[in-house]
Each structure stands twice: as C-alpha cells, then as structure tokens.
Amino acid sequence: MSDRIPARTRILDAASERFYARGVAATGIDVIIADAGVAKMSLYNNFASKADLVSAYLERRHQEFLERHRRRVEALPAGAGPDARALTVFDAYLDGVDDPFRGCGLLNAAGELPSGDPGREAVARHKTEVEDLLRDAVGDEALAEHLSLLLEGAMVRAGLEGDADRLRRARRMAAELLDEA
C-alpha cells in the first residue's frame, strides 16, 4: 500500500507529523526517512535540503488552511453577511485543530527559525493573508486587525495550554465584537 504513495508524499507526511509533534530543530532527517520508509537518496531526490523540506511543510500547512477556509466560505448560506464570512476564518482554524494540540504549526516552526529565514517570511505571509481574509470579510482595517490579534493570541495561548478551548472562546468573542460593530 505505502509503495503506491509517492515517496515525496510519504516524506512530507512523515516530516509534517514530526515537525508538528517535536519541532523542526528536534527532528532529524534520519527519523523522517525511517518514518517515511524511504532511502536517504529518495529524500534528497525530492527535497534539496532539510530547509527545502521545512519550506514544503510550511506551504502544505498554509494550503490546508486555505482549503478549510474555502470550504467554510462555500458552505455559507446565500447572502451571508460580513460577520459570518469573518467567522469562517476562526472556523477554518478550529477545523484544523490537531490531536494532541500544540498550537499553530506555522508559528511553532517560525519560532524555531532564525530571523530572516525564508520559512519565517512564509509564515509572515500566511498571517498577513489571514488578516487580509478578515479585512475582505468585514471591510474595516481596524476591526480586521483586532480580530486577527484576537485569533493569533488565542492560538498561542491554546497551543501553550494544549487545548483548543481558547480558540473556541476567541471565536465567541469575535462573534460578539462583530455583533457590536
């Protein structure tokens, strides 16, 4: 069965699990190779370096979020207002809660990477895109920033606590803020 899954996919799957569970720095290439069931040459035929693999991991997490968000937006009833569209961002984050929960995989990885690292820049672009989704939904720069900071703060605290409850509470707070706005 695993022979039918391309080596690149198996490597990225193994790296994704390990990077999220243990961290980027604590995860060696040999562990990823063993988990993926591939030869070392397969890893380097698919990824030029560990940094390239980390980049692919970050891009995968970004695309997974965008896909969850797209599905949430498509599921909205016709004529859904800005409040409902803004809350889809929170819902997309909640849909991606891993078990065990360690917070945002992108932020976790960024915290391990040095300043100026392309991976940190990729995470910053993701977070800007999330805030842009909120801005597009509500049409208000200040409110979008407020919601973004609420979301990110909740994600950090939830990750520290190992429980997504802070994220659920932040969604309720966001709904209240949107009702008041």
Side-chain angles (χ1 to χ4, degrees):
M1 175 70 174
S2 67
D3 289 341
R4 293 185 193 174
I5 300 170
R8 180 181 176 83
T9 301
R10 293 196 328 255
I11 294 164
L12 190 51
D13 289 348
S16 295
E17 279 188 43
R18 289 288 183 156
F19 289 161
Y20 185 75
R22 302 270 186 211
V24 171
T27 302
I29 292 297
D30 291 337
V31 165
I32 294 168
I33 290 167
D35 287 356
V38 299
K40 189 174 264 193
M41 187 54 78
S42 282
L43 183 130
Y44 290 110
N45 284 339
N46 287 282
F47 301 96
S49 63
K50 184 177 177 183
D52 189 32
L53 180 56
V54 170
S55 177
Y57 163 70
L58 296 173
E59 180 60 22
R60 174 190 261 189
R61 288 198 74 99
H62 173 66
Q63 291 303 321
E64 288 169 347
F65 166 78
L66 291 177
E67 178 60 23
R68 290 190 309 269
H69 181 259
R70 183 193 60 73
R71 284 194 308 265
R72 281 291 184 160
V73 170
E74 287 176 353
L76 287 172
D83 295 6
R85 288 195 312 276
L87 292 174
T88 61
V89 175
F90 286 80
D91 293 333
Y93 267 83
L94 282 162
D95 291 344
V97 167
D98 295 295
D99 186 30
F101 185 63
R102 293 194 64 245
C104 176
L106 292 167
L107 282 179
N108 294 347
E112 294 186 61
L113 301 172
S115 181
D117 186 279
R120 286 179 67 96
E121 293 167 12
V123 173
R125 284 190 303 275
H126 168 78
K127 297 304 180 180
T128 297
E129 191 166 344
V130 169
E131 190 167 322
D132 289 346
L133 292 171
L134 289 164
R135 185 177 307 100
D136 292 346
V138 299
D140 180 308
E141 183 86 25
L143 180 56
E145 183 179 19
H146 191 122
L147 293 170
S148 176
L149 292 172
L150 174 63
L151 175 62
E152 294 304 331
M155 181 60 83
V156 169
R157 285 293 300 272
L160 287 171
E161 295 164 5
D163 182 337
D165 186 55
R166 291 265 183 185
L167 198 49
R168 287 186 279 279
R169 288 170 39 205
R171 190 211 186 271
R172 287 192 299 272
M173 288 178 201
E176 292 169 8
L177 282 169
L178 290 162
D179 283 344
E180 293 171 10

